Amino acid sequence: DQGFMMIQLKNPPGSGISLTKEKVLEVEEFLATRSEVLSTFIAAGGFTVGETNSAISFIDLKPRGQRGI
């Protein structure tokens, strides 16, 4: 347990950034309800040019003793 996790989102090939943004918002809303989450950063569109169908989320968790799990 390193207090950190990543989530990769992949929509079907050829999907536009608008669908990716919609899915990113769903993930952000879910993570906001989780008491163990300290902070998030989500990059939509991938890290290389033209990946409009993907996103990656970096999630920092509260220290283990503060998570209640």
Side-chain angles (χ1 to χ4, degrees):
D1 183 343
Q2 296 179 353
F4 178 84
M5 65 181 184
M6 296 181 347
I7 299 173
Q8 183 176 7
L9 287 84
K10 275 284 203 205
N11 291 316
S15 297
I17 194 72
S18 60
L19 176 62
T20 302
K21 180 180 177 182
E22 179 183 322
K23 298 302 178 184
V24 162
L25 291 174
E26 289 178 28
V27 171
E28 285 180 327
E29 288 174 10
F30 172 76
L31 292 173
T33 69
R34 304 302 306 181
S35 63
E36 61 272 12
V37 172
L38 183 62
S39 65
T40 62
F41 172 77
I42 299 178
F47 288 112
T48 61
V49 176
E51 290 187 32
T52 59
N53 67 323
S54 68
I56 189 161
S57 175
F58 301 93
I59 302 141
D60 286 317
L61 302 174
K62 291 180 181 176
R64 189 187 311 196
Q66 296 177 14
R67 289 189 231 152
I69 294 178

CSV table of all heavy atoms in Angstrom, one decimal:
chain,number,residue,atom,x,y,z
A,1,ASP,N,0.8,-1.2,0.0
A,1,ASP,CA,0.0,0.0,0.0
A,1,ASP,C,0.9,1.2,0.0
A,1,ASP,O,1.6,1.5,1.0
A,1,ASP,CB,-0.9,0.0,1.2
A,1,ASP,CG,-1.9,1.1,1.3
A,1,ASP,OD1,-1.7,2.1,0.6
A,1,ASP,OD2,-2.9,1.0,2.0
A,2,GLN,N,0.9,1.9,-1.1
A,2,GLN,CA,1.7,3.1,-1.2
A,2,GLN,C,0.9,4.4,-1.2
A,2,GLN,O,1.4,5.5,-1.4
A,2,GLN,CB,2.5,3.1,-2.5
A,2,GLN,CG,3.5,1.9,-2.6
A,2,GLN,CD,4.2,1.9,-3.9
A,2,GLN,OE1,4.0,2.6,-4.8
A,2,GLN,NE2,5.2,1.0,-3.9
A,3,GLY,N,-0.4,4.3,-0.9
A,3,GLY,CA,-1.3,5.4,-0.8
A,3,GLY,C,-1.6,6.1,-2.0
A,3,GLY,O,-1.9,7.3,-2.1
A,4,PHE,N,-1.5,5.4,-3.2
A,4,PHE,CA,-1.6,6.0,-4.5
A,4,PHE,C,-2.1,5.0,-5.4
A,4,PHE,O,-1.8,3.8,-5.3
A,4,PHE,CB,-0.2,6.5,-4.9
A,4,PHE,CG,-0.1,7.1,-6.3
A,4,PHE,CD1,-0.4,8.4,-6.5
A,4,PHE,CD2,0.2,6.3,-7.4
A,4,PHE,CE1,-0.3,9.0,-7.7
A,4,PHE,CE2,0.3,6.9,-8.6
A,4,PHE,CZ,0.0,8.2,-8.8
A,5,MET,N,-2.9,5.4,-6.4
A,5,MET,CA,-3.4,4.5,-7.4
A,5,MET,C,-3.6,5.3,-8.7
A,5,MET,O,-3.8,6.5,-8.7
A,5,MET,CB,-4.6,3.7,-7.0
A,5,MET,CG,-5.8,4.5,-6.8
A,5,MET,SD,-7.1,3.3,-6.3
A,5,MET,CE,-8.5,4.4,-6.1
A,6,MET,N,-3.7,4.6,-9.8
A,6,MET,CA,-4.0,5.2,-11.1
A,6,MET,C,-5.1,4.4,-11.7
A,6,MET,O,-5.3,3.2,-11.6
A,6,MET,CB,-2.8,5.1,-12.0
A,6,MET,CG,-1.6,5.9,-11.5
A,6,MET,SD,-0.1,5.9,-12.5
A,6,MET,CE,-0.3,4.7,-13.7
A,7,ILE,N,-6.0,5.2,-12.5
A,7,ILE,CA,-7.0,4.6,-13.3
A,7,ILE,C,-6.9,5.0,-14.7
A,7,ILE,O,-6.7,6.2,-15.0
A,7,ILE,CB,-8.4,5.0,-12.8
A,7,ILE,CG1,-8.6,4.6,-11.3
A,7,ILE,CG2,-9.5,4.4,-13.7
A,7,ILE,CD1,-9.9,5.1,-10.7
A,8,GLN,N,-6.8,4.1,-15.6
A,8,GLN,CA,-6.8,4.4,-17.0
A,8,GLN,C,-8.1,4.2,-17.7
A,8,GLN,O,-8.7,3.1,-17.5
A,8,GLN,CB,-5.7,3.5,-17.8
A,8,GLN,CG,-5.6,3.9,-19.2
A,8,GLN,CD,-4.5,3.1,-19.9
A,8,GLN,OE1,-3.9,2.2,-19.3
A,8,GLN,NE2,-4.2,3.5,-21.1
A,9,LEU,N,-8.6,5.2,-18.4
A,9,LEU,CA,-9.9,5.1,-19.1
A,9,LEU,C,-9.6,5.0,-20.6
A,9,LEU,O,-8.8,5.7,-21.1
A,9,LEU,CB,-10.7,6.4,-18.9
A,9,LEU,CG,-11.3,6.5,-17.5
A,9,LEU,CD1,-10.4,7.2,-16.6
A,9,LEU,CD2,-12.6,7.4,-17.6
A,10,LYS,N,-10.3,4.1,-21.2
A,10,LYS,CA,-10.2,3.9,-22.7
A,10,LYS,C,-11.6,3.8,-23.3
A,10,LYS,O,-12.3,2.9,-22.9
A,10,LYS,CB,-9.4,2.6,-23.0
A,10,LYS,CG,-7.9,2.7,-23.0
A,10,LYS,CD,-7.4,3.4,-24.2
A,10,LYS,CE,-6.0,3.0,-24.4
A,10,LYS,NZ,-5.3,4.0,-25.2
A,11,ASN,N,-11.9,4.7,-24.2
A,11,ASN,CA,-13.2,4.6,-24.9
A,11,ASN,C,-12.9,3.9,-26.2
A,11,ASN,O,-11.7,3.7,-26.6
A,11,ASN,CB,-13.7,6.0,-25.2
A,11,ASN,CG,-14.3,6.6,-23.9
A,11,ASN,OD1,-14.9,5.9,-23.1
A,11,ASN,ND2,-13.9,7.8,-23.7
A,12,PRO,N,-13.9,3.5,-27.0
A,12,PRO,CA,-13.6,2.8,-28.3
A,12,PRO,C,-12.8,3.6,-29.2
A,12,PRO,O,-12.8,4.9,-29.1
A,12,PRO,CB,-15.1,2.6,-28.8
A,12,PRO,CG,-16.0,2.6,-27.7
A,12,PRO,CD,-15.3,3.6,-26.7
A,13,PRO,N,-11.9,3.0,-30.0
A,13,PRO,CA,-11.1,3.8,-31.0
A,13,PRO,C,-12.0,4.7,-31.8
A,13,PRO,O,-13.1,4.4,-32.2
A,13,PRO,CB,-10.5,2.7,-31.8
A,13,PRO,CG,-10.5,1.5,-31.0
A,13,PRO,CD,-11.8,1.6,-30.1
A,14,GLY,N,-11.5,5.9,-32.0
A,14,GLY,CA,-12.2,6.9,-32.8
A,14,GLY,C,-13.1,7.7,-32.0
A,14,GLY,O,-13.7,8.7,-32.5
A,15,SER,N,-13.3,7.5,-30.7
A,15,SER,CA,-14.2,8.3,-29.9
A,15,SER,C,-13.6,9.7,-29.7
A,15,SER,O,-12.4,9.9,-29.7
A,15,SER,CB,-14.3,7.7,-28.5
A,15,SER,OG,-14.9,6.4,-28.5
A,16,GLY,N,-14.5,10.6,-29.7
A,16,GLY,CA,-14.1,12.0,-29.5
A,16,GLY,C,-13.8,12.4,-28.1
A,16,GLY,O,-14.1,11.7,-27.1
A,17,ILE,N,-13.1,13.6,-27.9
A,17,ILE,CA,-12.8,14.1,-26.6
A,17,ILE,C,-14.0,14.4,-25.8
A,17,ILE,O,-14.0,14.3,-24.6
A,17,ILE,CB,-11.8,15.3,-26.7
A,17,ILE,CG1,-11.2,15.6,-25.4
A,17,ILE,CG2,-12.6,16.5,-27.3
A,17,ILE,CD1,-10.2,14.6,-24.9
A,18,SER,N,-15.2,14.7,-26.4
A,18,SER,CA,-16.4,15.0,-25.7
A,18,SER,C,-16.9,13.8,-24.9
A,18,SER,O,-17.3,13.9,-23.8
A,18,SER,CB,-17.5,15.5,-26.6
A,18,SER,OG,-17.8,14.6,-27.6
A,19,LEU,N,-16.8,12.6,-25.5
A,19,LEU,CA,-17.2,11.3,-24.8
A,19,LEU,C,-16.2,11.1,-23.6
A,19,LEU,O,-16.6,10.7,-22.5
A,19,LEU,CB,-17.2,10.1,-25.7
A,19,LEU,CG,-17.5,8.8,-25.0
A,19,LEU,CD1,-18.9,8.8,-24.4
A,19,LEU,CD2,-17.3,7.6,-26.0
A,20,THR,N,-14.9,11.3,-23.9
A,20,THR,CA,-13.9,11.1,-22.9
A,20,THR,C,-14.1,12.1,-21.7
A,20,THR,O,-14.0,11.7,-20.5
A,20,THR,CB,-12.5,11.3,-23.5
A,20,THR,OG1,-12.3,10.3,-24.5
A,20,THR,CG2,-11.4,11.1,-22.4
A,21,LYS,N,-14.4,13.3,-22.0
A,21,LYS,CA,-14.7,14.3,-21.0
A,21,LYS,C,-15.9,13.9,-20.1
A,21,LYS,O,-15.9,14.0,-18.9
A,21,LYS,CB,-15.0,15.7,-21.6
A,21,LYS,CG,-15.2,16.7,-20.6
A,21,LYS,CD,-15.5,18.1,-21.2
A,21,LYS,CE,-15.8,19.1,-20.2
A,21,LYS,NZ,-16.1,20.4,-20.8
A,22,GLU,N,-16.9,13.4,-20.8
A,22,GLU,CA,-18.1,12.9,-20.1
A,22,GLU,C,-17.8,11.8,-19.1
A,22,GLU,O,-18.2,11.8,-18.0
A,22,GLU,CB,-19.1,12.4,-21.1
A,22,GLU,CG,-20.4,11.8,-20.6
A,22,GLU,CD,-21.3,11.3,-21.7
A,22,GLU,OE1,-21.4,11.9,-22.7
A,22,GLU,OE2,-22.0,10.3,-21.4
A,23,LYS,N,-17.0,10.8,-19.6
A,23,LYS,CA,-16.6,9.7,-18.7
A,23,LYS,C,-15.6,10.2,-17.6
A,23,LYS,O,-15.7,9.7,-16.4
A,23,LYS,CB,-15.9,8.6,-19.5
A,23,LYS,CG,-16.8,8.0,-20.6
A,23,LYS,CD,-18.0,7.4,-19.9
A,23,LYS,CE,-19.0,6.8,-21.0
A,23,LYS,NZ,-20.2,6.3,-20.4
A,24,VAL,N,-14.8,11.1,-17.9
A,24,VAL,CA,-13.9,11.7,-16.8
A,24,VAL,C,-14.7,12.3,-15.7
A,24,VAL,O,-14.4,12.2,-14.5
A,24,VAL,CB,-12.9,12.7,-17.5
A,24,VAL,CG1,-12.3,13.6,-16.4
A,24,VAL,CG2,-11.8,11.9,-18.2
A,25,LEU,N,-15.7,13.1,-16.1
A,25,LEU,CA,-16.6,13.7,-15.1
A,25,LEU,C,-17.3,12.7,-14.2
A,25,LEU,O,-17.4,12.9,-13.0
A,25,LEU,CB,-17.6,14.6,-15.8
A,25,LEU,CG,-17.1,15.9,-16.5
A,25,LEU,CD1,-18.1,16.6,-17.2
A,25,LEU,CD2,-16.4,16.8,-15.4
A,26,GLU,N,-17.7,11.5,-14.8
A,26,GLU,CA,-18.3,10.5,-14.0
A,26,GLU,C,-17.3,9.9,-13.0
A,26,GLU,O,-17.7,9.7,-11.8
A,26,GLU,CB,-18.8,9.3,-14.9
A,26,GLU,CG,-20.0,9.7,-15.7
A,26,GLU,CD,-20.4,8.5,-16.7
A,26,GLU,OE1,-20.1,7.3,-16.4
A,26,GLU,OE2,-21.0,8.8,-17.7
A,27,VAL,N,-16.1,9.7,-13.4
A,27,VAL,CA,-15.0,9.2,-12.5
A,27,VAL,C,-14.8,10.2,-11.4
A,27,VAL,O,-14.7,9.9,-10.2
A,27,VAL,CB,-13.7,8.9,-13.3
A,27,VAL,CG1,-12.6,8.6,-12.3
A,27,VAL,CG2,-14.0,7.7,-14.2
A,28,GLU,N,-14.6,11.5,-11.8
A,28,GLU,CA,-14.4,12.6,-10.8
A,28,GLU,C,-15.5,12.6,-9.8
A,28,GLU,O,-15.3,12.7,-8.6
A,28,GLU,CB,-14.3,13.9,-11.5
A,28,GLU,CG,-13.0,14.1,-12.2
A,28,GLU,CD,-12.9,15.5,-12.8
A,28,GLU,OE1,-13.9,16.0,-13.3
A,28,GLU,OE2,-11.8,16.0,-12.9
A,29,GLU,N,-16.8,12.5,-10.2
A,29,GLU,CA,-17.9,12.5,-9.3
A,29,GLU,C,-17.9,11.4,-8.3
A,29,GLU,O,-18.1,11.5,-7.1
A,29,GLU,CB,-19.2,12.5,-10.1
A,29,GLU,CG,-19.5,13.9,-10.8
A,29,GLU,CD,-20.7,13.8,-11.7
A,29,GLU,OE1,-21.5,12.8,-11.6
A,29,GLU,OE2,-21.0,14.8,-12.4
A,30,PHE,N,-17.5,10.2,-8.8
A,30,PHE,CA,-17.4,9.0,-8.0
A,30,PHE,C,-16.3,9.2,-7.0
A,30,PHE,O,-16.5,8.9,-5.8
A,30,PHE,CB,-17.2,7.7,-8.8
A,30,PHE,CG,-16.9,6.5,-8.0
A,30,PHE,CD1,-17.9,5.9,-7.3
A,30,PHE,CD2,-15.6,6.1,-7.8
A,30,PHE,CE1,-17.7,4.8,-6.5
A,30,PHE,CE2,-15.3,5.0,-7.0
A,30,PHE,CZ,-16.4,4.3,-6.3
A,31,LEU,N,-15.2,9.6,-7.4
A,31,LEU,CA,-14.0,9.7,-6.5
A,31,LEU,C,-14.3,10.7,-5.4
A,31,LEU,O,-13.8,10.6,-4.3
A,31,LEU,CB,-12.7,10.0,-7.3
A,31,LEU,CG,-12.2,8.9,-8.2
A,31,LEU,CD1,-11.1,9.4,-9.0
A,31,LEU,CD2,-11.8,7.7,-7.4
A,32,ALA,N,-15.1,11.8,-5.7
A,32,ALA,CA,-15.4,12.8,-4.8
A,32,ALA,C,-16.3,12.3,-3.6
A,32,ALA,O,-16.3,12.9,-2.5
A,32,ALA,CB,-16.1,14.0,-5.5
A,33,THR,N,-16.9,11.2,-3.9
A,33,THR,CA,-17.8,10.6,-2.8
A,33,THR,C,-17.0,9.6,-1.9
A,33,THR,O,-17.5,9.2,-0.9
A,33,THR,CB,-18.9,9.8,-3.4
A,33,THR,OG1,-18.4,8.6,-4.0
A,33,THR,CG2,-19.8,10.6,-4.4
A,34,ARG,N,-15.8,9.3,-2.2
A,34,ARG,CA,-14.9,8.4,-1.5
A,34,ARG,C,-14.1,9.1,-0.4
A,34,ARG,O,-13.3,9.9,-0.7
A,34,ARG,CB,-14.0,7.6,-2.4
A,34,ARG,CG,-14.7,6.9,-3.5
A,34,ARG,CD,-15.7,5.9,-3.1
A,34,ARG,NE,-15.1,5.0,-2.1
A,34,ARG,CZ,-15.7,4.0,-1.5
A,34,ARG,NH1,-17.0,3.8,-1.8
A,34,ARG,NH2,-15.1,3.2,-0.7
A,35,SER,N,-14.4,8.8,0.9
A,35,SER,CA,-13.7,9.4,2.0
A,35,SER,C,-12.3,9.2,2.1
A,35,SER,O,-11.5,9.9,2.6
A,35,SER,CB,-14.4,9.1,3.3
A,35,SER,OG,-14.3,7.7,3.5
A,36,GLU,N,-11.8,8.0,1.5
A,36,GLU,CA,-10.4,7.7,1.5
A,36,GLU,C,-9.5,8.5,0.5
A,36,GLU,O,-8.3,8.4,0.6
A,36,GLU,CB,-10.2,6.2,1.4
A,36,GLU,CG,-10.7,5.6,0.1
A,36,GLU,CD,-12.1,5.2,0.1
A,36,GLU,OE1,-12.9,5.5,1.0
A,36,GLU,OE2,-12.5,4.5,-0.9
A,37,VAL,N,-10.2,9.2,-0.4
A,37,VAL,CA,-9.4,9.9,-1.5
A,37,VAL,C,-9.0,11.3,-0.9
A,37,VAL,O,-9.8,12.0,-0.4
A,37,VAL,CB,-10.3,10.0,-2.7
A,37,VAL,CG1,-9.6,11.0,-3.7
A,37,VAL,CG2,-10.5,8.7,-3.4
A,38,LEU,N,-7.7,11.6,-1.0
A,38,LEU,CA,-7.2,12.9,-0.6
A,38,LEU,C,-7.3,13.9,-1.8
A,38,LEU,O,-7.7,15.0,-1.6
A,38,LEU,CB,-5.8,12.7,-0.1
A,38,LEU,CG,-5.1,13.9,0.4
A,38,LEU,CD1,-5.8,14.4,1.7
A,38,LEU,CD2,-3.6,13.6,0.8
A,39,SER,N,-6.8,13.5,-2.9
A,39,SER,CA,-6.8,14.3,-4.1
A,39,SER,C,-6.7,13.5,-5.4
A,39,SER,O,-6.3,12.4,-5.4
A,39,SER,CB,-5.6,15.3,-4.1
A,39,SER,OG,-4.4,14.6,-4.2
A,40,THR,N,-7.1,14.2,-6.5
A,40,THR,CA,-7.1,13.5,-7.8
A,40,THR,C,-6.5,14.5,-8.8
A,40,THR,O,-6.7,15.7,-8.7
A,40,THR,CB,-8.5,13.0,-8.3
A,40,THR,OG1,-9.3,14.1,-8.4
A,40,THR,CG2,-9.1,12.0,-7.3
A,41,PHE,N,-6.0,13.9,-9.9
A,41,PHE,CA,-5.6,14.7,-11.1
A,41,PHE,C,-5.9,13.8,-12.2
A,41,PHE,O,-5.5,12.6,-12.3
A,41,PHE,CB,-4.1,15.0,-11.1
A,41,PHE,CG,-3.6,15.6,-12.4
A,41,PHE,CD1,-3.9,16.9,-12.7
A,41,PHE,CD2,-3.0,14.8,-13.3
A,41,PHE,CE1,-3.5,17.5,-13.9
A,41,PHE,CE2,-2.6,15.4,-14.5
A,41,PHE,CZ,-2.8,16.7,-14.8
A,42,ILE,N,-6.7,14.3,-13.2
A,42,ILE,CA,-7.1,13.5,-14.4
A,42,ILE,C,-6.6,14.2,-15.6
A,42,ILE,O,-6.9,15.4,-15.8
A,42,ILE,CB,-8.6,13.2,-14.4
A,42,ILE,CG1,-9.0,12.5,-13.1
A,42,ILE,CG2,-9.0,12.5,-15.7
A,42,ILE,CD1,-10.5,12.2,-13.1
A,43,ALA,N,-5.9,13.5,-16.5
A,43,ALA,CA,-5.5,14.1,-17.8
A,43,ALA,C,-6.3,13.4,-18.9
A,43,ALA,O,-6.1,12.2,-19.1
A,43,ALA,CB,-4.0,13.8,-18.0
A,44,ALA,N,-7.2,14.1,-19.5
A,44,ALA,CA,-8.0,13.6,-20.6
A,44,ALA,C,-7.3,13.9,-21.9
A,44,ALA,O,-6.6,14.9,-22.1
A,44,ALA,CB,-9.3,14.3,-20.6
A,45,GLY,N,-7.3,12.9,-22.8
A,45,GLY,CA,-6.7,13.0,-24.1
A,45,GLY,C,-5.3,12.3,-24.2
A,45,GLY,O,-4.7,12.4,-25.2
A,46,GLY,N,-4.9,11.7,-23.1
A,46,GLY,CA,-3.7,11.0,-23.1
A,46,GLY,C,-2.5,11.9,-23.0
A,46,GLY,O,-2.6,13.1,-22.9
A,47,PHE,N,-1.3,11.2,-23.1
A,47,PHE,CA,-0.1,12.0,-23.0
A,47,PHE,C,0.6,12.2,-24.4
A,47,PHE,O,1.7,12.8,-24.5
A,47,PHE,CB,0.9,11.3,-22.0
A,47,PHE,CG,0.5,11.5,-20.6
A,47,PHE,CD1,0.0,10.4,-19.9
A,47,PHE,CD2,0.5,12.7,-20.0
A,47,PHE,CE1,-0.4,10.5,-18.6
A,47,PHE,CE2,0.1,12.9,-18.7
A,47,PHE,CZ,-0.4,11.8,-18.0
A,48,THR,N,0.1,11.6,-25.4
A,48,THR,CA,0.6,11.8,-26.7
A,48,THR,C,-0.5,12.4,-27.6
A,48,THR,O,-1.7,12.3,-27.3
A,48,THR,CB,1.1,10.4,-27.3
A,48,THR,OG1,0.0,9.5,-27.4
A,48,THR,CG2,2.1,9.8,-26.5
A,49,VAL,N,-0.1,12.9,-28.7
A,49,VAL,CA,-1.0,13.6,-29.6
A,49,VAL,C,-2.1,12.7,-30.1
A,49,VAL,O,-1.8,11.6,-30.5
A,49,VAL,CB,-0.3,14.3,-30.7
A,49,VAL,CG1,-1.2,14.9,-31.7
A,49,VAL,CG2,0.8,15.3,-30.2
A,50,GLY,N,-3.3,13.1,-30.1
A,50,GLY,CA,-4.4,12.4,-30.8
A,50,GLY,C,-5.1,11.3,-30.0
A,50,GLY,O,-5.9,10.5,-30.6
A,51,GLU,N,-4.8,11.2,-28.7
A,51,GLU,CA,-5.5,10.1,-27.9
A,51,GLU,C,-6.8,10.6,-27.3
A,51,GLU,O,-7.0,10.6,-26.1
A,51,GLU,CB,-4.6,9.6,-26.8
A,51,GLU,CG,-3.4,8.8,-27.3
A,51,GLU,CD,-2.6,8.2,-26.2
A,51,GLU,OE1,-3.2,7.8,-25.2
A,51,GLU,OE2,-1.4,8.0,-26.4
A,52,THR,N,-7.7,11.1,-28.2
A,52,THR,CA,-8.9,11.6,-27.7
A,52,THR,C,-9.8,10.6,-27.0
A,52,THR,O,-10.8,11.0,-26.3
A,52,THR,CB,-9.7,12.3,-28.9
A,52,THR,OG1,-10.0,11.3,-29.8
A,52,THR,CG2,-8.9,13.4,-29.5
A,53,ASN,N,-9.5,9.4,-27.1
A,53,ASN,CA,-10.4,8.3,-26.5
A,53,ASN,C,-9.9,7.8,-25.2
A,53,ASN,O,-10.3,6.8,-24.7
A,53,ASN,CB,-10.5,7.1,-27.5
A,53,ASN,CG,-9.2,6.4,-27.7
A,53,ASN,OD1,-8.2,7.0,-27.8
A,53,ASN,ND2,-9.3,5.1,-27.8
A,54,SER,N,-8.8,8.5,-24.6
A,54,SER,CA,-8.3,8.0,-23.4
A,54,SER,C,-8.1,9.1,-22.4
A,54,SER,O,-8.0,10.2,-22.7
A,54,SER,CB,-7.0,7.2,-23.7
A,54,SER,OG,-6.0,8.2,-24.1
A,55,ALA,N,-7.9,8.6,-21.1
A,55,ALA,CA,-7.6,9.5,-20.0
A,55,ALA,C,-6.9,8.7,-18.9
A,55,ALA,O,-7.1,7.5,-18.9
A,55,ALA,CB,-8.9,10.2,-19.5
A,56,ILE,N,-6.2,9.4,-18.0
A,56,ILE,CA,-5.6,8.7,-16.9
A,56,ILE,C,-5.8,9.5,-15.7
A,56,ILE,O,-5.8,10.8,-15.7
A,56,ILE,CB,-4.1,8.5,-17.2
A,56,ILE,CG1,-3.5,7.6,-16.1
A,56,ILE,CG2,-3.3,9.7,-17.3
A,56,ILE,CD1,-2.2,6.9,-16.4
A,57,SER,N,-6.1,8.9,-14.6
A,57,SER,CA,-6.4,9.5,-13.3
A,57,SER,C,-5.3,9.1,-12.3
A,57,SER,O,-5.0,7.9,-12.1
A,57,SER,CB,-7.8,9.1,-12.8
A,57,SER,OG,-8.0,9.6,-11.5
A,58,PHE,N,-4.8,10.1,-11.6
A,58,PHE,CA,-3.8,9.8,-10.5
A,58,PHE,C,-4.5,10.2,-9.2
A,58,PHE,O,-5.1,11.3,-9.1
A,58,PHE,CB,-2.6,10.7,-10.7
A,58,PHE,CG,-1.9,10.5,-12.0
A,58,PHE,CD1,-2.1,11.3,-13.1
A,58,PHE,CD2,-0.9,9.5,-12.1
A,58,PHE,CE1,-1.5,11.0,-14.3
A,58,PHE,CE2,-0.3,9.2,-13.3
A,58,PHE,CZ,-0.5,10.0,-14.4
A,59,ILE,N,-4.6,9.2,-8.3
A,59,ILE,CA,-5.3,9.4,-7.1
A,59,ILE,C,-4.4,9.2,-5.8
A,59,ILE,O,-3.8,8.2,-5.7
A,59,ILE,CB,-6.5,8.3,-7.0
A,59,ILE,CG1,-7.4,8.5,-8.2
A,59,ILE,CG2,-7.3,8.5,-5.7
A,59,ILE,CD1,-7.8,7.2,-8.8
A,60,ASP,N,-4.4,10.2,-5.0
A,60,ASP,CA,-3.7,10.2,-3.7
A,60,ASP,C,-4.7,9.8,-2.7
A,60,ASP,O,-5.8,10.4,-2.6
A,60,ASP,CB,-3.1,11.5,-3.4
A,60,ASP,CG,-1.8,11.8,-4.2
A,60,ASP,OD1,-1.0,10.9,-4.4
A,60,ASP,OD2,-1.7,13.0,-4.7
A,61,LEU,N,-4.3,8.8,-1.9
A,61,LEU,CA,-5.2,8.4,-0.8
A,61,LEU,C,-4.7,8.9,0.5
A,61,LEU,O,-3.6,9.2,0.7
A,61,LEU,CB,-5.2,6.8,-0.7
A,61,LEU,CG,-5.6,6.1,-2.0
A,61,LEU,CD1,-5.4,4.6,-1.8
A,61,LEU,CD2,-7.1,6.4,-2.3
A,62,LYS,N,-5.7,9.1,1.5
A,62,LYS,CA,-5.3,9.5,2.8
A,62,LYS,C,-4.4,8.4,3.4
A,62,LYS,O,-4.4,7.2,3.0
A,62,LYS,CB,-6.5,9.6,3.7
A,62,LYS,CG,-7.4,10.8,3.2
A,62,LYS,CD,-8.6,10.9,4.1
A,62,LYS,CE,-9.5,12.0,3.7
A,62,LYS,NZ,-10.8,12.1,4.5
A,63,PRO,N,-3.6,8.7,4.4
A,63,PRO,CA,-2.8,7.7,5.1
A,63,PRO,C,-3.7,6.5,5.5
A,63,PRO,O,-4.8,6.7,5.9
A,63,PRO,CB,-2.2,8.5,6.3
A,63,PRO,CG,-2.2,9.9,5.9
A,63,PRO,CD,-3.4,10.1,5.0
A,64,ARG,N,-3.1,5.4,5.5
A,64,ARG,CA,-3.9,4.1,5.8
A,64,ARG,C,-4.7,4.2,7.1
A,64,ARG,O,-5.9,3.8,7.1
A,64,ARG,CB,-2.9,2.9,5.9
A,64,ARG,CG,-3.7,1.6,5.9
A,64,ARG,CD,-2.8,0.5,6.2
A,64,ARG,NE,-1.7,0.4,5.3
A,64,ARG,CZ,-1.0,-0.7,5.2
A,64,ARG,NH1,-1.3,-1.8,5.8
A,64,ARG,NH2,0.1,-0.7,4.4
A,65,GLY,N,-4.2,4.8,8.1
A,65,GLY,CA,-4.9,4.9,9.4
A,65,GLY,C,-6.1,5.8,9.3
A,65,GLY,O,-6.9,5.8,10.2
A,66,GLN,N,-6.2,6.6,8.3
A,66,GLN,CA,-7.3,7.6,8.2
A,66,GLN,C,-8.3,7.2,7.2
A,66,GLN,O,-9.3,7.9,6.9
A,66,GLN,CB,-6.7,9.0,7.8
A,66,GLN,CG,-5.8,9.6,8.8
A,66,GLN,CD,-5.3,10.9,8.3
A,66,GLN,OE1,-5.7,11.5,7.3
A,66,GLN,NE2,-4.2,11.4,9.0
A,67,ARG,N,-8.2,6.0,6.6
A,67,ARG,CA,-9.1,5.6,5.5
A,67,ARG,C,-10.3,4.8,6.0
A,67,ARG,O,-11.3,4.7,5.3
A,67,ARG,CB,-8.3,4.7,4.5
A,67,ARG,CG,-7.4,5.6,3.7
A,67,ARG,CD,-6.9,4.7,2.5
A,67,ARG,NE,-5.4,4.9,2.5
A,67,ARG,CZ,-4.6,4.0,2.1
A,67,ARG,NH1,-5.1,2.8,1.6
A,67,ARG,NH2,-3.3,4.2,2.1
A,68,GLY,N,-10.2,4.1,7.1
A,68,GLY,CA,-11.3,3.4,7.7
A,68,GLY,C,-11.6,2.1,6.9
A,68,GLY,O,-12.7,1.5,7.0
A,69,ILE,N,-10.7,1.6,6.1
A,69,ILE,CA,-10.9,0.4,5.4
A,69,ILE,C,-10.0,-0.7,5.9
A,69,ILE,O,-8.9,-0.5,6.2
A,69,ILE,CB,-10.5,0.6,3.9
A,69,ILE,CG1,-11.6,1.5,3.3
A,69,ILE,CG2,-10.5,-0.8,3.1
A,69,ILE,CD1,-11.3,1.8,1.8
